[in-house]
Amino acid sequence: MITEMLSSSSIGKTPLSRSNFSLSNGKLSRASFICCVRKTAESNGSSSGPLQLELGNQSSDENVPQMRSGVRELFRQAQQNILYLNKQRILAMEELDRVKREKRSLLDRIEQLERIKLMYTRKRCDKFSLSAELLLRIDSMVLTNLIGSKEASEFRRLVMDSIGSIADYFSEIMHKQDTEILVELRHFPRKSRKSGYHIIHICTEMAPVVSVGSLAPYVTGLSRALQRKGNLVEVILPKYASLNLNEVHGLREVEAEFHSYFNGQLHGNRIWTGVVCGIGVTFIEPLYYSTFFSCENIYGYSHDFERFTYFSRASLDYIVKAGKQPDVLHIHNWETSIVGPLFWDVFVNQGFGGTRIMLTCQSFESQCVEQPEKLALCGLDPYGLHCSDRLQDNNKSHLVNVLKAGVVYSNNVIIMSSMQTKGQIIHATSHGLEPTLTIHKDKLVVAPPGFDSSAWDPSVDKFLPQNYSADNMKGKSVCQVSLQQHLGLQEKVSIILVGCIFSDISDIELENLKTLIWMASRRGVQFVFMGSDQTPGLNSALEYFEELKDENMRFLNKYDESLAHLVLAGSDIMLCPSFDDTLLQIPLKAMRYGAMPILLDFTDSKYGHFVDRDLEDTEFSRYIKDTFSNMPLNQAIDELKNNPSKWDKKIVDAMTKDFSWDAECCDIHISAYTAIKNL
């Protein structure tokens, strides 16, 4: 207020007229005005003298008290206004603090409810995680000599037979010491034995903690499916420095000494345990050979044989120390194939009378050949094994073949392939192992990979703008428009959209792709390509696509899983370099999302124009061959345009098929386990 009044009188800005203000009853009015002048000793107006107030038409001596009184009143009112404003500011700050407290209280309540929800979910839904954690605690009890191997085996069978009830019973006490949990285990009521198997995977990858190729999703997907069908599954991994430990629940170091044999001596190891996707996982960390798994990459070193041979031997030593007696030891690729001869030549008499060996090969391309004398590092006899019917390499007779060791010493061999038969694999893609595979043909089994149907389901997919299913396809057109908007394509549902997600592309496939793009682009078809940073042909592909500068084409040079969901949902057709895609599993996901999988090169001799049905075909390969494999892209476009009812029928039928890990893949593995247990 005082500021406004002083401003209106223009004090200190311009000369003031004497007739503007007057003083009445001790107050200023517009009858006269106050003029402030500074008395100085000099006539130049210097500011050295005291300030005086002059009142127009009246002597300064008479009006000084009244003037002072008026100024005091003005300042009093200004102070009142300031006090009022301060009070309002304090009230506003208090209100803001109250809102902040309410917000904090609300957030705390939400966090509390989330914790309750998490506990409820863990108790009711995540029974496998709790059971896996309990099994790892039993291992800890054995390693610390709290219980013996026999009692541990009884407890493991108890957990396996009572997964649901035991998870509810122990969910509130898992934070307690091993001794307290042991008391509860001994008092938990026993139930009748069930028919499930106890399977231990000894492997080098597991999604999502360490993932390089197709082995990682296979181990996790299959293990979860096996547990859902009543089996007990565990995984043993090296403790790489590059592990994604954020995906490990309840990671803890077992406070016990554990030694394993290598190069003529016993060496110490640290043992870590945790739960990954409901699966109990044991990590082995070498102490003396600490550099084995502290390197940046998982594979590709000159001492890979030593690294994984150490791990394989340590895994078996650990299983013995922990008193485990699994039904099946499941080994993978060449990296853990040495477990086969180690098991039968060294460990079989250490309580493993009922255990059998299963080997899975993602492919036979990588086999590892080494000098025979290196077998002695893990305790094997080089001279007894370096012969043609055992480990001697079929092409380089002076060397031993580690993958061959797995084939020869396993009770059964699972070969992962979506489309190839056993005969095609033996004669076309065995990479020199044809004589060995022919001899052991009866124990070879072909299984197609699956996919995670819980993560890739358009009816509940959180990455989609609108969900849809085979019963209600309306959301798919919404997803297509959303994809077009996201990539800056013309937004029109009537335009056919072709997606392509590839992890690798050869020069030949790139040439085929160029031809298809040129033909289809002339028909107004939209293309969306997604590659990978590691794709060998990516640079040349990118250069070619950039040269086209087609308004109907988009190329994404980095794989983005969240966007991959939208590409699958928004595409009418998915171009696939191969139907045998064990890494990204695009054909399987395409069918689930209502996009027709079409081969990039449909004339490929391995997949096109099938005449005779091979009785060894998997259910998946038969379905693909009968429905999609003989259809080139142009024919698929014609059918979509000219016969939409036939197209829709195919799409809906494909969406209802179950090719997840829980279906054919899991069933084939359980049959293989049953077969070797009956040997």
Side-chain angles (χ1 to χ4, degrees), residues 289-306:
Y289 292 99
S290 59
T291 58
F292 275 180
F293 303 111
S294 63
C295 33
E296 181 180 356
N297 298 320
I298 306 303
Y299 311 115
Y301 297 99
S302 59
H303 63 311
D304 276 356
F305 173 83
E306 288 83 355

Side-chain angles (χ1 to χ4, degrees), residues 390-555:
R390 296 195 177 186
L391 273 63
Q392 185 179 43
D393 187 70
N394 297 332
N395 298 314
K396 300 175 181 178
S397 59
H398 63 290
L399 301 176
V400 291
N401 187 311
V402 182
L403 184 58
K404 180 180 177 179
V407 174
V408 172
Y409 279 87
S410 294
N411 298 106
N412 232 331
V413 179
I414 299 282
I415 305 169
M416 299 306 297
S417 177
S418 298
M419 300 300 296
Q420 291 181 292
T421 65
K422 185 192 299 187
Q424 289 173 327
I425 292 168
I426 292 174
H427 301 297
T429 60
S430 58
H431 295 276
L433 281 179
E434 182 175 351
T436 304
L437 296 179
T438 301
I439 293 172
H440 296 274
K441 182 177 181 179
D442 290 342
K443 64 182 182 184
L444 304 183
V445 179
V446 179
F451 72 103
D452 186 354
S453 58
S454 62
W456 297 89
D457 182 355
S459 65
V460 294
D461 194 328
K462 63 181 179 181
F463 295 112
L464 303 185
Q466 184 171 324
N467 297 120
Y468 62 95
S469 65
D471 297 326
N472 185 355
M473 295 288 288
K474 291 181 179 179
K476 186 166 177 65
S477 58
V478 176
C479 292
Q480 180 169 333
V481 172
S482 178
L483 178 62
Q484 291 168 332
Q485 290 175 342
H486 182 80
L487 299 177
L489 293 166
Q490 183 182 355
E491 300 168 25
K492 205 170 183 182
V493 178
S494 59
I495 296 178
I496 295 175
L497 198 152
V498 179
C500 183
I501 302 175
F502 52 90
S503 58
D504 193 4
I505 187 167
S506 67
D507 292 338
I508 296 176
E509 289 169 338
L510 181 58
E511 289 303 317
N512 292 334
L513 190 58
K514 292 177 182 179
T515 302
L516 289 176
I517 292 173
W518 181 80
M519 293 171 60
S521 62
R522 293 170 64 89
R523 305 178 66 177
V525 175
Q526 292 178 341
F527 286 89
V528 175
F529 296 95
M530 180 180 288
S532 166
D533 292 334
Q534 287 78 37
T535 305
L538 182 62
N539 291 333
S540 57
L542 182 59
E543 291 173 2
Y544 170 74
F545 293 143
E546 287 180 343
E547 289 175 2
L548 282 180
K549 296 181 180 178
D550 194 320
E551 62 179 8
N552 288 328
M553 185 182 65
R554 296 293 182 270
F555 185 83

Side-chain angles (χ1 to χ4, degrees), residues 243-312:
L243 285 173
N244 182 5
L245 296 179
N246 293 329
E247 299 292 344
V248 183
H249 171 75
L251 180 68
R252 63 192 292 265
E253 182 181 357
V254 178
E255 298 294 337
E257 290 187 0
F258 165 63
H259 294 83
S260 60
Y261 178 88
F262 193 74
N263 198 17
Q265 298 182 44
L266 292 176
H267 299 282
N269 303 272
R270 285 195 182 96
I271 299 298
W272 302 76
T273 61
V275 179
V276 178
C277 299
I279 309 297
V281 182
T282 299
F283 302 95
I284 297 178
E285 179 184 10
L287 295 178
Y288 183 77
Y289 292 99
S290 59
T291 58
F292 275 180
F293 303 111
S294 63
C295 33
E296 181 180 356
N297 298 320
I298 306 303
Y299 311 115
Y301 297 99
S302 59
H303 63 311
D304 276 356
F305 173 83
E306 288 83 355
R307 297 170 65 225
F308 295 117
T309 298
Y310 180 96
F311 166 68
S312 297

Side-chain angles (χ1 to χ4, degrees), residues 28 34 53 66-76:
L28 291 172
I34 298 172
L53 296 175
Q66 292 178 329
M67 176 195 67
R68 289 176 177 173
S69 176
V71 171
R72 282 197 297 269
E73 178 64 19
L74 289 175
F75 276 103
R76 187 186 65 79

Side-chain angles (χ1 to χ4, degrees), residues 590-644:
M591 289 191 291
R592 186 64 177 267
Y593 279 72
M596 182 176 288
I598 297 296
L599 272 180
L600 183 58
D601 181 12
F602 82 100
T603 61
D604 191 311
S605 60
K606 287 187 291 185
Y607 311 119
H609 299 294
F610 293 89
V611 179
D612 297 323
R613 182 179 300 281
D614 192 321
L615 297 178
E616 295 176 338
D617 277 356
T618 62
E619 178 185 340
F620 172 78
S621 64
R622 286 194 294 270
Y623 182 78
I624 287 289
K625 292 171 184 178
D626 292 342
T627 311
F628 305 118
S629 65
N630 285 322
M631 186 179 295
L633 179 60
N634 274 337
Q635 183 180 333
I637 293 172
D638 288 337
E639 184 173 300
L640 178 55
K641 284 185 174 182
N642 304 325
N643 199 345

